[in-house]
Amino acid sequence: MNEENKNMEEEELNNTPQEEPVNEAETVEAEPTEKEAETPAEERDPLDVALEEIASLKDKYLRQVAEFDNYRKRTLKERAELILNGGEKTIVAMLPVVDDMERALQNGQKTDDPQVLREGMEIIYHKMMKTLEGLGVKKIETEGADFDTDLHDAEALVPGMGDDKKGKVIDCLTTGYKLNDKVIRHAKVAVGS
């Protein structure tokens, strides 16, 4: 049986195609195979690696610049819209008060009673103050308050009011207002000295 195995092996060797010798000068560089493409970066040409990294960073940079430019344009557009339409909420809130004033003026022509006109004006005033409070506007209280330069403007000093009135607000000449805790108009007051 040893002879039979030897004969079979020889037949198999004879049946396999023989490779022809390859001339290295005639070989053409082929595309890298998957195995070659997966070679670590250290085995690849450092110049190619650097060029790929530069291209990647340049792409990221250009995308970031474009994204920032779009952001800048969008914020400029939003800002312009805010400037043009920023008072819309306030105006819409004030329109019912304007309507009430128009009705008061029409009804004022029908009556000569000053008490009726006064009551109508008080109703409109209270509605206006409620609307302003809804928008975040609050009146600065001055009655009996200590003088505070952050809230008040001293228009006059009133001498001879006594020690208990010294540095206190004596009279409010013009009401001051805050918008969301920011003073938008200082109260003009007379202060005891």
Side-chain angles (χ1 to χ4, degrees):
M1 283 214 156
N2 277 342
E3 253 180 73
E4 256 181 57
N5 285 339
K6 273 187 183 180
N7 289 337
M8 285 174 73
E9 287 177 10
E10 285 178 19
E11 284 179 29
E12 284 179 23
L13 287 174
N14 290 335
N15 291 337
T16 57
Q18 297 290 328
E19 292 184 3
E20 297 182 305
V22 179
N23 186 357
E24 289 182 20
E26 293 178 0
T27 59
V28 179
E29 280 191 28
E31 299 261 330
T33 62
E34 288 180 25
K35 199 173 199 180
E36 290 172 351
E38 294 175 3
T39 57
E42 294 126 17
E43 293 178 18
R44 294 174 51 205
D45 185 18
L47 182 59
D48 290 340
V49 172
L51 289 174
E52 286 177 14
E53 189 174 342
I54 288 171
S56 171
L57 291 173
K58 185 176 180 182
D59 182 56
K60 285 180 184 178
Y61 169 74
L62 291 175
R63 288 179 188 274
Q64 287 292 326
V65 167
E67 188 176 319
F68 179 75
D69 191 44
N70 290 339
Y71 167 76
R72 186 181 56 80
K73 288 176 183 175
R74 185 175 60 247
T75 54
L76 285 174
K77 182 180 175 185
E78 288 172 357
R79 185 174 174 203
E81 286 179 14
L82 187 63
I83 290 170
L84 288 175
N85 302 322
E88 180 180 356
K89 180 181 175 186
T90 305
I91 292 169
V92 168
M94 295 294 189
L95 290 178
V97 177
V98 172
D99 294 339
D100 288 347
M101 291 177 89
E102 287 174 351
R103 282 192 288 273
L105 289 172
Q106 289 173 354
N107 290 334
Q109 294 174 356
K110 297 177 185 174
T111 184
D112 290 331
D113 187 9
Q115 184 61 30
V116 172
L117 295 175
R118 183 175 291 122
E119 288 174 5
M121 290 301 290
E122 285 178 8
I123 291 170
I124 293 171
Y125 172 76
H126 290 296
K127 187 171 187 176
M128 178 71 144
M129 292 309 293
K130 192 172 220 166
T131 302
L132 288 174
E133 285 176 13
L135 295 171
V137 178
K138 292 182 182 166
K139 195 184 231 187
I140 296 175
E141 294 300 325
T142 57
E143 191 174 325
D146 290 333
F147 178 72
D148 183 357
T149 56
D150 292 335
L151 303 174
H152 309 116
D153 280 341
E155 294 290 314
L157 291 176
V158 181
M161 296 300 291
D163 288 339
D164 60 328
K165 297 283 185 177
K166 190 173 186 177
K168 300 259 186 198
V169 174
I170 304 298
D171 188 24
C172 181
L173 307 172
T174 305
T175 306
Y177 294 94
K178 290 184 190 179
L179 175 62
N180 300 323
D181 295 328
K182 178 187 176 205
V183 176
I184 56 174
R185 184 171 86 178
H186 289 83
K188 298 185 188 309
V189 296
V191 182
S193 63

